[in-house]
Amino acid sequence: MIPWLDLHTPFPDVSRALTGEAPGLLAAGADLSPRRLLDAYRHGIFPWFSEGQPILWWSTDPRMVLMTDNFKLSDSLHKAIRKVERSAATDGRWQLRFDGDFEGVMRACAAPRKDGPGTWISDEIIDGYTGLHKLGYAHSSELWCDGELVGGAYGVSIGRMFYGESMFARVTDGSKIALAQLVRFLKERGVKMIDCQQETRHLASLGAAPISRTRFLAHLRGAIEEPQITDWRTAATQ
């Protein structure tokens, strides 16, 4: 059995997460207030649940992470990024931004996909993370074309730790270009690890790999104590 959290119940130690059925499941309940979300991420815990379920909290082992030094760019993606960057530098039809429309990125990530229904990102989730965004702890990396948001990624930033949440694309490689911008930005500011939470082939193709929860938490504890990154909005226009 996993514990049920009320609004004031602290998280259990992550060592209590399930290992058999639903591996990584730690607790249920509580809320998605900025205070609760920040507490979760600082302890290596994240929410993930489907519509109709209570809020479920997870701490997976192993943990999928992308080391910023290991990000992989294919030749074709590298060419696409250079094309976008040249356009952005001359105020062309392609633009790269941070935090231009954070909620718009979240809603695009939540929209139905070509190969299935919408994601787990509900209005409740959107409200919680836009609350974090207003406090400066959640950010979006965005690709725009002719004034329209066509690709993006978003996540949570604490100190020099970034927790990736979701990506979307409305044009070919849109999400990858937004991710590439994000990785470069974070790497330049001393962020070594991006949390990807769970293992997928897509993430592995970009250089992500699983590590033990122990190793993940050891890195996390130091990274979140570093100074907060504050120049998101100005970075893409430099």
Side-chain angles (χ1 to χ4, degrees):
M1 292 288 293
I2 60 170
W4 179 267
L5 310 178
D6 63 29
L7 295 183
H8 305 290
T9 310
F11 287 110
D13 190 272
V14 295
S15 63
R16 294 179 57 187
L18 299 182
T19 58
E21 186 177 354
L25 181 59
L26 178 66
D31 62 6
L32 294 173
S33 65
R35 180 179 178 180
R36 175 65 74 168
L37 286 169
L38 285 174
D39 187 43
Y41 282 103
R42 286 177 173 136
H43 290 87
I45 300 165
F46 60 91
W48 183 43
F49 59 99
S50 299
E51 187 174 357
Q53 291 181 326
I55 300 172
L56 300 177
W57 301 95
W58 302 76
S59 177
T60 52
D61 188 13
R63 189 78 162 226
M64 193 71 164
V65 302
L66 173 61
M67 306 305 292
T68 54
D69 281 342
N70 295 340
F71 181 57
K72 295 179 181 177
L73 282 177
S74 67
D75 290 341
S76 60
L77 181 57
H78 187 66
K79 290 177 182 178
I81 292 170
R82 284 191 297 176
K83 173 185 175 182
V84 168
E85 289 177 339
R86 286 195 298 267
S87 175
T90 57
D91 292 326
R93 62 192 304 252
W94 296 95
Q95 295 293 318
L96 291 164
R97 301 176 188 169
F98 289 113
D99 294 344
D101 186 1
F102 179 84
E103 184 174 338
V105 171
M106 285 203 71
R107 292 197 177 279
C109 289
R113 309 292 174 106
K114 291 181 179 179
D115 55 353
T119 68
W120 66 287
I121 303 170
S122 63
D123 285 342
E124 185 180 15
I125 288 286
I126 292 171
D127 288 344
Y129 285 81
T130 52
L132 279 185
H133 173 64
K134 291 174 183 177
L135 294 175
Y137 289 102
H139 300 278
S140 56
S141 176
E142 304 159 4
L143 174 66
W144 294 73
C145 183
D146 295 330
E148 179 183 355
L149 181 63
V150 295
Y154 79 94
V156 175
S157 177
I158 303 176
R160 289 305 193 263
M161 183 72 199
F162 192 86
Y163 309 80
E165 285 297 318
S166 190
M167 303 185 292
F168 83 97
R170 292 174 178 155
V171 295
T172 301
D173 289 332
S175 60
K176 293 179 182 179
I177 292 170
L179 177 61
Q181 176 188 221
L182 176 64
V183 171
R184 183 173 65 181
F185 172 85
L186 293 172
K187 185 176 179 178
E188 289 173 349
R189 284 151 184 79
V191 175
K192 299 182 183 300
M193 178 186 290
I194 298 173
D195 176 28
C196 301
Q197 299 176 353
Q198 301 188 57
E199 187 170 358
T200 68
R201 284 185 295 178
H202 174 64
L203 290 170
S205 72
L206 297 172
I211 63 173
S212 70
R213 181 165 58 208
T214 299
R215 181 181 167 194
F216 173 74
L217 292 176
H219 177 85
L220 169 68
R221 292 185 190 103
I224 63 174
E225 296 301 323
E226 294 293 323
Q228 193 73 7
I229 298 170
T230 60
D231 62 336
W232 291 85
R233 282 190 175 273
T234 59
T237 60
Q238 293 175 350

